[in-house]
Amino acid sequence: MKDSLKPNLSFWQIWNMCFGFFGIQYGFGLQQANLSPIFRYHGAAEHELPILWLAGPVTGLLIQPLIGAISDGTWTRFGRRKPFFMIGALVGSIAVMFMPYVPELWMVVGLFWILDAAMNTAMEPYRALVGDKLNHEQRPTGYALQSFMIAAGQMLAGLMPLIMISVGVSAETDGKQIPEIVKYSFAIGVVVILISMAWSFVKTEEYPPEDMEAFHAKREHKSIGHVFTELWSALVDMPKSLRAVWWVKLVTWFGLPMMWQYLALSIARHVYDAPNPDSPGFVEGTAQVGMAFTVMNVTTLIMALVIAKVVTKIGDAKTYALFLLIGGVGYLSMQLTTDLYTTFACMALVGIGWSAVITVPFIIAADVTPAARVGVYMGLLNAMICLPQIMEMLSVGYFYDSLLGGDPRNALALAGILFVVGAGLALRINTKPDHLANQEKQSCN
């Protein structure tokens, strides 16, 4: 449906559409808060952690653009995007169910690959669904509400081990066995993922193609090879503003994986003086990363309520730059403290940066991409975050012990430096569609 013809949706219609994102992000939150400690329980060394995290960006790079292009050309009795995110939820919930119970490191890594492949299958169509359903005026609200769901889902997942401790679930471990608090958190995750995704699936109706006969006729002449042709064509024709967004994503998403890989270990080492899984305080210290991520995500929840207004007032690019700068200061400030609550305060600043990372690029993309290519460009936008993560995961292990001194907190400082660089690059983004940007440039000349 043309953008000008899309009706305004009520708040609760947008809420119902976005609620399934809560379950997807609970799944991502489980791995972000618990995966590095789980790898350590199975005997992995700290410098090996980045390579073990490789599943996320590789599956995202391979799956999201393909699913985006395929879903653009799909229509079923259930809709265009909904079948993909429901299939992803079902497969992902199976991986979540078994991950904390398998006995070997390679099995955990294998389930991690399955989980991330499933979550990426679900996530890209969800991003495109907002572009499909909402008009220009309501898209900032839609993507802000998705940011709210990201924060809420990851917050619940991160807090779950501490909640389990508070209700008396055992946190004991011999340094090799995964604590019961983690196992219960993953079991609850299965329920959260399935219920939230089923809710959005039932409560959301998608707009069918305007000319169904022409749509089916066009689809019948497309093969799987056409999908790759479409991806290449979209890359060649990519709007200039998205090319500028790529450079921001390159530096910020090289830094972000270090937060998920090393924040829990940094808190354990510098706040609880527990550098190893068999050190007293290691379980409690790594569990506190859930509270750290909660502080970050509460900040993101708050920012989700105001970011659309900030974008309206100062523009997409300046909002992106300002928030990334604040996030970078948060990472760098962790070098100055060994106090738990000050660390939480630093994570509040990181949450401001994170709110821009997960919101602003999608607002830009929805505004500058043709309606017929929303899915493929949302997939490519998500793929942009994968390449820098792959670069990080293939490289950090080589300089972790030397350049970073074998200290997880130094990895967080590097992430902060990269966020500051990303803030500078964000100011170079022209967020107008190419034809308007060219007219503006010609008038200036």
Side-chain angles (χ1 to χ4, degrees):
M1 181 182 293
K2 293 181 179 179
D3 192 76
S4 59
L5 299 178
K6 294 175 183 176
N8 283 337
L9 302 186
S10 71
F11 172 81
W12 290 112
Q13 286 176 309
I14 302 174
W15 174 278
N16 289 337
M17 178 176 64
C18 293
F19 185 58
F21 221 61
F22 176 83
I24 295 173
Q25 296 305 320
Y26 187 101
F28 279 122
L30 282 175
Q31 63 190 44
Q32 290 167 5
N34 298 290
L35 205 56
S36 282
I38 288 174
F39 287 154
R40 292 286 276 139
Y41 288 127
H42 283 288
E46 284 186 0
H47 72 271
E48 295 174 322
L49 295 179
I51 197 72
L52 295 176
W53 278 79
L54 197 57
V58 170
T59 56
L61 180 64
L62 296 176
I63 289 174
Q64 291 209 32
L66 286 175
I67 293 296
I70 293 170
S71 66
D72 278 345
T74 296
W75 185 260
T76 72
R77 57 191 290 247
F78 300 109
R80 170 177 286 140
R81 317 291 183 183
K82 293 197 300 180
F84 292 95
F85 66 66
M86 201 64 213
I87 291 170
L90 291 171
V91 175
S93 64
I94 294 172
V96 168
M97 184 186 306
F98 290 106
M99 187 175 289
Y101 294 97
V102 294
E104 300 291 339
L105 179 61
W106 68 267
M107 295 180 181
V108 177
V109 173
L111 286 172
F112 179 36
W113 279 80
I114 294 171
L115 173 61
D116 259 44
M119 293 295 98
N120 278 297
T121 298
M123 187 166 68
E124 192 287 327
Y126 234 122
R127 291 292 196 185
L129 184 63
V130 172
D132 291 343
K133 290 280 290 181
L134 300 182
N135 57 38
H136 173 79
E137 289 73 21
Q138 287 196 307
R139 280 177 191 147
T141 300
Y143 286 117
L145 193 53
Q146 282 198 348
S147 297
F148 179 94
M149 296 300 175
I150 290 172
Q154 293 184 1
M155 182 171 64
L156 179 61
L159 274 179
M160 198 55 67
L162 291 176
I163 295 173
M164 294 297 101
I165 290 175
S166 69
V167 298
V169 178
S170 173
E172 294 183 4
T173 179
D174 59 1
K176 296 181 180 179
Q177 297 297 317
I178 296 174
E180 291 296 315
I181 58 171
V182 175
K183 293 180 178 179
Y184 276 74
S185 300
F186 276 71
I188 292 171
V190 175
V191 179
V192 172
I193 291 170
L194 292 178
I195 289 179
S196 63
M197 294 293 278
W199 180 272
S200 287
F201 188 88
V202 171
K203 292 289 186 177
T204 302
E205 294 293 331
E206 297 191 64
Y207 299 134
E210 294 180 55
D211 189 335
M212 188 66 74
E213 286 189 15
F215 177 84
H216 283 301
K218 185 178 180 181
R219 186 175 62 176
E220 286 173 1
H221 293 89
K222 290 183 178 181
S223 63
I224 188 64
H226 178 84
V227 173
F228 292 98
T229 303
E230 172 64 16
L231 286 173
W232 177 253
S233 175
L235 279 170
V236 171
D237 298 335
M238 182 177 287
K240 293 177 182 178
S241 54
L242 293 189
R243 294 179 187 274
V245 167
W246 150 250
W247 293 106
V248 183
K249 284 178 169 286
L250 176 63
V251 293
T252 55
W253 281 94
F254 190 100
L256 276 165
M258 288 184 271
M259 174 179 68
W260 299 312
Q261 293 157 6
Y262 290 113
L263 179 59
L265 304 180
S266 177
I267 293 173
R269 175 177 298 200
H270 291 285
V271 177
Y272 285 82
D273 194 26
N276 301 307
D278 56 356
S279 302
F282 183 84
V283 173
E284 185 179 356
T286 54
Q288 288 293 348
V289 77
M291 184 59 71
F293 281 132
T294 296
V295 171
M296 182 187 83
N297 286 310
V298 166
T299 306
T300 303
L301 287 174
I302 295 170
M303 299 312 298
L305 303 176
V306 303
I307 194 168
K309 294 180 180 178
V310 177
V311 166
T312 301
K313 188 169 185 178
I314 68 174
D316 301 343
K318 290 181 180 178
T319 302
Y320 205 6
L322 175 62
F323 285 18
L324 287 178
L325 178 62
I326 294 171
V329 171
Y331 282 123
L332 290 166
S333 298
M334 293 182 197
Q335 289 286 318
L336 306 177
T337 185
T338 57
D339 178 73
L340 182 63
Y341 295 103
T342 307
T343 301
F344 291 161
C346 294
M347 288 302 292
L349 299 180
V350 172
I352 295 174
W354 177 237
S355 70
V357 168
I358 61 178
T359 305
V360 177
F362 297 99
I363 296 174
I364 296 171
D367 285 343
V368 303
T369 56
R373 279 182 158 178
V374 169
V376 68
Y377 276 118
M378 288 298 176
L380 287 172
L381 198 63
N382 279 310
M384 287 181 185
I385 76 176
C386 300
L387 286 173
Q389 289 185 80
I390 292 171
M391 293 165 60
E392 185 269 346
M393 293 169 190
L394 292 176
S395 64
V396 169
Y398 290 102
F399 61 80
Y400 179 79
D401 290 327
S402 55
L403 180 63
L404 301 180
D407 189 333
R409 189 168 64 175
N410 291 340
L412 302 177
L414 178 56
I417 293 170
L418 293 170
F419 260 54
V420 173
V421 173
L425 293 171
L427 293 174
R428 299 172 60 248
I429 302 172
N430 187 333
T431 57
K432 293 182 174 64
D434 282 359
H435 68 283
L436 295 179
N438 290 335
Q439 290 176 7
E440 184 181 78
K441 186 176 180 180
Q442 290 171 2
S443 65
C444 291
N445 293 335

